[in-house]
Amino acid sequence: MDSPARPWPPPVGAYAEERELFRLLQNMLEELLIHKPDDPIQYMINHLKQNNDDAPRICVLGPPASGKTTVKIPNALWANLIQERLSNVDCIKQGWILEGFPENQEQAWMLQSSGIIPRHVVVLYAPDTVLIERNSGKRLDPFTEEVYHTTFNWPSDLLVQQRLVEPEDLSEQEISKKLLEYHRNFPGVFQIYQKVLRSINADQPSVDVLARVLTYVQTRHRSAAPFTPRILFCGPPGSGKSLQAALIAQKYSVVNICCGQLLKEAVADKTKLGELVKPYIDSGYPVPDNLVMKILAERLNTLDCVTNGWVLYGFPRDVEQGEQLQKSHIIPNRVFFFNLPYESIMERLSQRRIDPVTGERYHTTFRPAPTPEIQARLRQHPRDKEENIEKQLETYYRNVKELEDFYEDAFYVNADQDPHVVFEFIESCIIKPLPCKKLKSL
């Protein structure tokens, strides 16, 4: 039986609440005067979100009859409804508890793309036999729609007892079907929230369950990251790693390192290692890992990388390369895997074009050429042909599972959404805020 919800946070005195509101308004006005945003309302909402780190944001999940509430809303509507509700000032200021969502990985991605990122995820569990028994004892009052239970919550009123009926959708077959679906979908949800998820046994008195839940949600997650950020992006071609690396580097003044570009720079600078790499690049063959590691280690050990930190992408591509990084004491403290559907990858890459005259890049859908003259001279890079993209994807997917297991504390990013939404999620995963880049006065 579920315990009644308690208000969160506890009510405070009128004066303290008024003073807090005045402080928030004063801060927002100062920010508006400094930044002068195009959309002041949205800017204030974002400001409230960023400056209210103590407000709880909790998801409570679990199978049917585990003690959480289940609400059914069509997929086309629920994400918008939840986003609209949780963006209200009361939710931003006081926090929220979301029950029963997400039920699968797709819904978890939708939450993430809507900017709804829980700080704590509680999963209630119990043996299937217990859950089926709990459901079989439920009774419904058709007049009030109150739910009772033959064992845990039987009404004292005889009239109510006489009119109780058994819910139509709670047969043992239906519950078994729902449990099977839950067990099939839960691993995908776990992968998304594993860093903030706690499983709690619901097969015990509700008071004990509540105590364990409160103990967990009142804890603050600690960051294992040192002062200097070392960020690694992994993902298929076309997933947006280079753009996100550029955004991170621009905002936080970390060193942006693309492994492929680093090798080309070594060749262009005619270094000793660059001379060894040149034949491989000219012929289109993969550069041996030992040469890549030497160039990469040399760059990551330079003063700017050591003092400012770095964001790396393009290496490692498999678990052997990851192990070589570790042996060279190059250990990232934030690892992100970018996920993108096959169709989106093809759309992003196969439609890319380049102007051989200016070197400008275009996309037939997202950034078409401005004039027919430019359009006529555009060319497609051989690597962007579908057959070559498929080869790259085959290699990536063949190796990524082992690489994910190697970086077991990695975060998973839905890259099939607006780049700024992706960037906000990446920032949220860096629990300790990094020092923002200070602009030099002209």
Side-chain angles (χ1 to χ4, degrees):
M1 181 179 68
D2 293 338
S3 298
R6 299 181 181 179
W8 191 323
V12 296
Y15 174 73
E17 192 172 84
E18 193 174 288
R19 183 175 57 185
E20 175 66 14
L21 181 59
F22 177 78
R23 184 187 66 80
L24 288 171
L25 288 172
Q26 186 179 36
N27 287 344
M28 280 193 291
L29 286 173
E30 290 175 356
E31 293 290 328
L32 286 171
L33 290 172
I34 294 171
H35 296 283
K36 298 178 181 179
D38 295 330
D39 187 346
I41 301 299
Q42 186 59 45
Y43 183 87
M44 286 191 289
I45 291 174
N46 293 337
H47 180 81
L48 278 171
K49 289 180 179 179
Q50 294 167 1
N51 290 276
N52 197 24
D53 290 338
D54 292 328
R57 299 199 297 264
I58 305 165
C59 278
V60 180
L61 309 175
S66 60
K68 53 87 187 172
T69 302
T70 302
V71 183
K72 288 296 181 184
I73 302 176
N75 279 340
L77 298 177
W78 78 265
N80 289 335
L81 291 172
I82 291 175
Q83 181 186 19
E84 182 179 346
R85 181 64 187 92
L86 297 187
S87 295
N88 288 352
V89 174
D90 61 340
C91 286
I92 294 171
K93 184 179 178 183
Q94 298 181 41
W96 45 262
I97 299 177
L98 179 62
E99 298 178 83
F101 286 99
E103 295 179 337
N104 53 52
Q105 191 176 63
E106 180 184 358
Q107 292 177 352
W109 286 134
M110 292 173 69
L111 274 183
Q112 180 180 302
S113 64
S114 299
I116 300 169
I117 302 168
R119 287 198 178 94
H120 299 85
V121 176
V122 175
V123 176
L124 303 179
Y125 70 91
D128 286 0
T129 52
V130 172
L131 299 175
I132 292 172
E133 182 183 356
R134 285 186 183 181
N135 273 285
S136 64
K138 284 186 177 180
R139 297 295 182 267
L140 179 68
D141 185 340
F143 289 176
T144 65
E145 296 189 352
E146 286 285 327
V147 178
Y148 296 92
H149 197 279
T150 55
T151 304
F152 307 115
N153 183 29
W154 192 246
S156 55
D157 192 325
L158 290 176
L159 291 176
V160 175
Q161 292 179 15
Q162 291 172 1
R163 67 173 183 248
L164 294 183
V165 296
E166 209 171 319
E168 296 178 359
D169 60 343
L170 289 182
S171 67
E172 187 171 333
Q173 291 77 12
E174 283 294 319
I175 295 302
S176 297
K177 183 179 178 182
K178 289 180 180 179
L179 286 171
L180 183 64
E181 182 181 2
Y182 170 80
H183 292 311
R184 185 170 61 245
N185 290 329
F186 178 73
V189 177
F190 175 81
Q191 185 186 54
I192 305 299
Y193 294 126
Q194 58 182 318
K195 300 283 289 184
V196 296
L197 184 145
R198 174 70 59 84
S199 295
I200 294 176
N201 181 13
D203 187 20
Q204 55 183 321
S206 58
V207 175
D208 296 334
V209 176
L210 178 62
R212 291 179 182 274
V213 172
L214 286 176
T215 300
Y216 175 58
V217 300
Q218 288 172 352
T219 60
R220 296 179 65 91
H221 297 298
R222 295 182 178 181
S223 170
F227 179 78
T228 305
R230 301 188 298 274
I231 303 168
L232 175 63
F233 289 160
C234 302
S239 57
K241 301 185 296 295
S242 60
L243 173 59
Q244 295 303 322
L247 292 173
I248 288 287
Q250 180 183 20
K251 182 166 184 178
Y252 295 116
S253 200
V254 299
V255 181
N256 183 1
I257 298 177
C258 169
C259 186
Q261 186 62 33
L262 191 65
L263 298 178
K264 292 176 183 178
E265 289 174 2
V267 172
D269 294 340
K270 297 182 179 180
T271 64
K272 291 182 179 180
L273 288 172
E275 292 296 327
L276 296 174
V277 167
K278 189 176 186 301
Y280 296 97
I281 291 182
D282 290 344
S283 62
Y285 287 106
V287 179
D289 288 351
N290 63 324
L291 292 179
V292 176
M293 277 305 309
K294 287 180 180 178
I295 293 174
L296 196 55
E298 184 178 297
R299 181 67 186 94
L300 294 178
N301 285 320
T302 53
L303 183 62
D304 58 345
C305 286
V306 173
T307 55
N308 297 334
W310 45 262
V311 52
L312 169 66
Y313 62 98
F315 193 94
R317 298 176 185 271
D318 55 47
V319 69
E320 288 78 15
Q321 293 176 348
E323 290 170 348
Q324 288 183 42
L325 275 181
Q326 195 172 61
K327 289 176 182 176
S328 300
H329 304 289
I330 300 172
I331 303 172
N333 48 44
R334 290 293 183 277
V335 180
F336 296 87
F337 282 92
F338 289 55
N339 290 325
L340 194 66
Y342 174 85
E343 296 78 11
S344 299
I345 294 173
M346 280 298 178
E347 182 182 27
R348 290 187 183 187
L349 297 183
S350 64
Q351 297 182 35
R352 293 196 301 197
R353 300 293 184 270
I354 189 168
D355 185 343
V357 176
T358 64
E360 192 73 19
R361 295 178 181 273
Y362 296 95
H363 193 281
T364 56
T365 301
F366 305 128
R367 191 174 180 249
T371 66
E373 180 185 358
I374 296 176
Q375 176 64 37
R377 67 177 185 238
L378 294 184
R379 296 289 181 269
Q380 184 181 36
H381 195 287
R383 72 183 176 199
D384 291 336
K385 293 185 181 296
E386 287 196 12
E387 57 270 22
N388 292 331
I389 298 172
E390 288 177 353
K391 290 178 182 177
Q392 294 179 63
L393 290 176
E394 183 184 354
T395 302
Y396 173 78
Y397 289 120
R398 186 170 61 246
N399 297 315
V400 69
K401 182 62 175 66
E402 288 185 342
L403 197 59
E404 288 177 349
D405 293 340
F406 182 73
Y407 291 116
E408 59 183 2
D409 292 330
F411 296 93
Y412 292 84
V413 184
N414 176 14
D416 193 20
Q417 54 185 327
D418 184 273
H420 295 288
V421 176
V422 176
F423 179 70
E424 287 176 2
F425 174 72
I426 292 172
E427 277 194 301
S428 75
C429 295
I430 303 170
I431 300 174
K432 284 187 177 179
L434 304 177
C436 292
K437 181 179 181 181
K438 295 182 179 179
L439 298 176
K440 295 179 181 179
S441 56
L442 298 176

